[in-house]
Amino acid sequence: MPTAEQYGKLSIKTRLDRLHQTPSALERTISGKTDLELSRRPDARSWAAKEIVCHLRDVEELFQIRFHTVVALDEPSILAFGASASDLAAWRIGGAIRHPLDPDRWAEERQYLRNDARVALTAFERRRAEVLMLLESLSPAEWQRGGVHLGRGRLTLADWVTRLAAHDDNHIDQLGRAIEGRP
């Protein structure tokens, strides 16, 4: 599994090919599993398989919004999870206003454990297809358009795709572990 840095050295086509493979990798991993198997958390702090699929579905929506924003606006600031308190202050996030992109918050508030993993996967597949249509329509110049990540600075669309590919790999690995009952 390549790191984000290793993905960044690969061609955009190779990174997009990786994104194309994710839906089938998820399907293979959850195929034939019961709802009980998909709902079992490996330990108290780790997500169950269905929570991982739901997370990927929701993150795909987030990345699609980011991609559209970078295409439409010049060098927009991009809200990201893990930003410093001082960076978040400009967004008026902090104190009683919790970070809206907190994955654990999503899992709880969106009731991931009550979701049907296959329905979540279908939604992910639809969203991923839309993301890929957008990305595959970009010109070479558009791939250099960027947005300012609060923690990492300026990232081009190619850099964002690198992050998404690495994110996919991380959670596919996590999904396999969850199915096996390992954190």
Side-chain angles (χ1 to χ4, degrees):
M1 166 168 67
T3 64
E5 291 72 30
Q6 291 167 328
Y7 269 121
K9 295 176 184 174
L10 300 175
S11 70
I12 289 172
K13 181 188 179 319
T14 301
R15 287 177 255 177
L16 291 176
D17 288 346
R18 175 66 200 90
L19 298 184
H20 272 286
Q21 295 168 16
T22 300
S24 61
L26 298 173
E27 175 59 38
R28 280 191 308 274
T29 305
I30 69 169
S31 179
K33 304 296 184 270
T34 66
D35 186 64
L36 182 63
E37 290 171 304
L38 296 173
S39 300
R40 190 177 312 120
R41 288 182 169 168
D43 65 24
R45 295 178 310 154
S46 298
W47 282 348
K50 72 163 51 176
E51 291 174 299
I52 297 163
V53 175
C54 290
H55 170 75
L56 287 167
R57 174 202 60 205
D58 292 349
V59 165
E60 196 67 15
E61 178 181 3
L62 174 63
F63 268 87
Q64 183 175 11
I65 292 166
R66 287 174 173 169
F67 294 148
H68 285 292
T69 301
V70 171
V71 167
L73 303 173
D74 291 328
E75 304 295 321
S77 292
I78 305 292
L79 181 61
F81 188 67
S84 71
S86 61
D87 285 335
L88 292 174
W91 294 76
R92 305 249 164 94
I93 297 170
I97 301 175
R98 293 175 53 196
H99 200 302
L101 304 181
D102 180 340
D104 290 323
R105 180 181 184 179
W106 286 359
E108 177 187 337
E109 291 178 356
R110 297 175 187 190
Q111 301 182 9
Y112 284 178
L113 282 174
R114 291 181 180 213
N115 281 233
D116 182 307
R118 286 164 185 80
V119 171
L121 177 57
T122 299
F124 170 80
E125 290 168 339
R126 277 194 309 268
R127 184 75 65 174
R128 176 56 59 95
E130 292 174 8
V131 164
L132 287 165
M133 279 189 277
L134 170 65
L135 295 173
E136 290 169 345
S137 76
L138 298 176
S139 69
E142 287 173 315
W143 278 103
Q144 296 311 307
R145 292 186 61 83
V148 181
H149 184 286
L150 294 182
R152 301 186 197 288
R154 184 181 191 277
L155 296 176
T156 66
L157 284 168
D159 296 329
W160 285 104
V161 168
T162 295
R163 297 280 166 206
L164 184 54
H167 183 265
D168 282 4
D169 282 348
N170 175 57
H171 287 296
I172 289 168
D173 182 62
Q174 180 189 25
L175 180 64
R177 291 192 321 269
I179 293 288
E180 294 169 1
R182 296 184 298 117

